[in-house]
Amino acid sequence: PLSPLPLSPLPLGEGPGVREKKPSMPVPEVIIDDRNDLKPDDKSLLIIEDDRRFARILMELAQEKGFKCLIAEDGGVGLQLADEYRPAAITLDLKLSMMGGWTVMEKLKSNPNTRHIPVHFISGTGDQHQEAHRLGAIGYTLKPVGMGELGETFKRIETVISQTFKKVLIVVDNPQRQAKITEMVGGENVKTVLVSTKSEVYQQLHSTPFDCMVVDVDTEQKTGIQLLDEMQQNETLSQLPVIVYAERELTPEENNTLQRYAKFLTVKSVKSPERLLEEVTLFLHQVESNLPAEKQQMLRMVYDKEAIFAHKKILLVDDDVRNVFALTVTLDDKGMEVLTAENGIEALEILKQHQNLDLVLMDIMMPELDGYETMRRIRAQSRFRKLPIIALTAKAMKEDKAKCIEAGANDYLAKPVDSNKLFSLMRVWLYQ
């Protein structure tokens, strides 16, 4: 018998069925935060920052200040952690992978569960503190940043989250609006101070720190906006958020004035109690679930872009059968009740029978009685002077829009109608 051939030994790791060993890739270092050690009463800080070195510096400094820390390296994870852990405060970078800081901020402030959380921006993207403040941020620190500036940042965060009572200065001299504004703004932990003259405003602002100021645009014979002039010249006062309240359309001059001041001040204008409530709760960092049930419902209507359409009664005036069919289906899908008229005469008859309409969509070019004259006749009736009317026309020239507004339209949309633009305009006027 043949004896077996001797087998020469093979080096370890070689031979059939053995793969070549590849050099191992470095495993990314995981930043360990405090999420597994959080207790219900702990003071927590969410750091949304993609620079690991800087995130670690922020965490160490925050821990020295008594915070337990959560760290997110991209915006999506940051939103998840904010919703799950509801931290006491958030620091937010603007330049993040996957989702930018502005988008993160907008999503935080549109979520009732996270809207109240104070957010402080720490970013190397220019000085955009005015935009940050308008979105509800409590501060904006520009990178590169020293330890002294970071100390001031944490001091600001501590001040905001430790406040038991919020103070709001209300500037109004009309008794009816005074009651309405106070009802919307006031609350269990909100102290309101009412003043009616510019001299009283300046006295209060120079003697008491406020969290927010509400100004009725018609205070002291429509000079309410002029209060902003001194505020923009004072470094301390210019940090105070201002909400301009108007139960009417602002004039072009007033709009231009507000836009000019918005470069230096955190100023917003609102035209309805619901929007006033929304902005005040934003700047006061109020927890929605702690508000009275009726205010929670009002806020849900503002946040929910679809809820505003439910059960609204709309009059659609148009002689084009195809347009009427398409718009009726579109509006009906949003839960609205749609009444239709082929011309202005029919529209006026429907208005006599249905005085509880919420909005009118008015075509301009119609037989018998066109949209211009129909709107004039509607506005001539006192009970319909505040009824929102959106004009629809195939013409898109500036003079046509001006003619529509002059005839009584609140707004204007060119045909063919873009449904997204239409719903956006309808939200604005249904909120009034």
Side-chain angles (χ1 to χ4, degrees):
L2 294 174
S3 59
L5 293 173
L7 296 175
S8 58
L10 293 172
L12 291 174
E14 295 184 14
V18 180
R19 295 181 180 177
E20 181 182 355
K21 190 174 182 180
K22 296 181 180 179
S24 59
M25 297 295 290
V27 178
E29 179 190 358
V30 177
I31 297 182
I32 299 175
D33 59 20
D34 299 316
R35 71 186 68 185
N36 294 325
D37 190 35
L38 271 177
K39 297 177 179 62
D41 295 332
D42 284 339
K43 184 174 62 174
S44 58
L45 175 72
L46 171 58
I47 300 168
I48 307 178
E49 171 63 63
D50 62 358
D51 182 331
R52 289 191 165 194
R53 178 177 169 275
F54 189 62
R56 186 178 285 106
I57 291 172
L58 286 176
M59 181 171 67
E60 291 173 356
L61 185 57
Q63 289 169 337
E64 289 177 9
K65 305 286 184 183
F67 286 93
K68 293 285 185 70
C69 293
L70 302 157
I71 292 181
E73 295 186 280
D74 68 69
V77 173
L79 290 171
Q80 292 173 8
L81 293 178
D83 199 35
E84 180 179 354
Y85 290 93
R86 315 284 170 83
I90 297 173
T91 63
L92 176 61
D93 189 15
L94 275 181
K95 280 193 172 181
L96 298 167
S97 58
M98 306 296 288
M99 185 187 297
W102 293 128
T103 303
V104 174
M105 183 65 168
E106 288 171 1
K107 289 182 178 294
L108 285 170
K109 295 305 177 183
S110 62
N111 180 350
N113 295 330
T114 59
R115 193 169 187 268
H116 63 280
I117 302 173
V119 178
H120 196 295
F121 281 90
I122 304 178
S123 178
T125 309
D127 187 358
Q128 302 185 57
H129 71 279
Q130 281 305 129
E131 180 60 29
H133 283 304
R134 271 191 287 273
L135 289 175
I138 62 171
Y140 189 101
T141 301
L142 187 62
K143 295 178 183 176
V145 56
M147 294 303 291
E149 290 173 291
L150 285 179
E152 289 299 317
T153 295
F154 279 99
K155 185 177 179 181
R156 173 63 179 154
I157 292 173
E158 288 272 14
T159 300
V160 172
I161 66 176
S162 64
Q163 279 182 306
T164 304
F165 286 90
K166 306 289 184 178
K167 294 180 182 178
V168 181
L169 181 63
I170 301 174
V171 187
V172 57
D173 58 9
N174 178 290
Q176 287 76 30
R177 283 200 288 276
Q178 187 180 82
K180 184 182 294 185
I181 293 172
T182 304
E183 181 183 1
M184 282 297 103
V185 172
E188 186 178 349
N189 296 318
V190 179
K191 180 181 178 181
T192 57
V193 177
L194 286 166
V195 295
S196 58
T197 66
K198 284 186 285 185
S199 60
E200 291 175 321
V201 172
Y202 298 142
Q203 182 181 354
Q204 287 290 338
L205 289 177
H206 289 295
S207 62
T208 307
F210 288 93
D211 298 287
C212 178
M213 182 167 82
V214 178
V215 180
D216 178 17
V217 72
D218 291 324
T219 297
E220 286 199 328
Q221 300 178 342
K222 301 183 180 182
T223 62
I225 292 180
Q226 294 178 11
L227 291 167
L228 305 177
D229 188 52
E230 180 174 314
M231 292 184 67
Q232 74 166 354
Q233 299 175 37
N234 184 296
E235 185 176 350
T236 301
L237 298 184
S238 65
Q239 304 303 311
L240 179 67
V242 180
I243 302 168
V244 175
Y245 182 69
E247 292 189 343
R248 60 173 174 79
E249 284 301 296
L250 297 179
T251 66
E253 182 182 357
E254 287 170 334
N255 273 317
N256 291 336
T257 302
L258 279 179
Q259 289 174 12
R260 187 171 71 252
Y261 287 135
K263 296 177 182 178
F264 310 100
L265 300 170
T266 303
V267 57
K268 292 184 176 182
S269 63
V270 298
K271 302 185 186 71
S272 69
E274 292 85 357
R275 289 279 289 112
L276 175 62
L277 176 64
E278 179 196 19
E279 295 297 349
V280 169
T281 56
L282 174 71
F283 290 125
L284 298 188
H285 310 289
Q286 290 177 290
V287 181
E288 182 179 321
S289 59
N290 293 341
L291 297 173
E294 62 272 16
K295 289 188 177 181
Q296 291 186 44
Q297 179 62 28
M298 291 172 73
L299 287 174
R300 279 194 288 272
M301 290 292 288
V302 176
Y303 300 153
D304 189 339
K305 293 186 176 181
E306 302 305 310
I308 189 66
F309 299 126
H311 312 299
K312 293 297 188 291
K313 187 178 286 189
I314 309 298
L315 172 59
L316 171 59
V317 190
D318 197 325
D319 65 329
D320 187 319
V321 177
R322 292 168 301 177
N323 283 342
V324 170
F325 177 77
L327 282 173
T328 300
V329 171
T330 301
L331 299 173
D332 186 65
D333 284 344
K334 296 287 187 182
M336 288 178 266
E337 179 185 349
V338 185
L339 305 176
T340 61
E342 291 186 4
N343 55 57
I345 295 174
E346 283 188 20
L348 293 171
E349 284 300 315
I350 289 175
L351 282 166
K352 286 181 182 178
Q353 302 168 22
H354 301 270
Q355 296 187 17
N356 59 339
L357 287 167
D358 296 292
L359 185 141
V360 176
L361 298 175
M362 180 70 67
D363 186 30
I364 296 301
M365 306 309 294
M366 296 183 296
E368 296 188 64
L369 193 67
D370 67 16
Y372 295 125
E373 183 57 30
T374 304
M375 289 190 292
R376 290 189 189 97
R377 295 191 187 185
I378 292 173
R379 294 305 189 207
Q381 303 177 59
S382 59
R383 63 183 183 275
F384 294 132
R385 282 178 187 163
K386 289 188 177 182
L387 176 64
I389 301 176
I390 298 176
L392 308 176
T393 176
K395 296 182 179 181
M397 306 297 288
K398 284 185 178 180
E399 54 267 28
D400 294 308
K401 179 175 182 178
K403 194 174 178 181
C404 288
I405 301 299
E406 184 183 354
N410 296 98
D411 230 315
Y412 170 102
L413 195 60
K415 290 184 175 181
V417 174
D418 180 317
S419 59
N420 289 327
K421 290 182 180 178
L422 173 62
F423 289 136
S424 180
L425 283 182
M426 290 180 71
R427 286 188 189 99
V428 169
W429 294 106
L430 288 173
Y431 279 140
Q432 303 306 307

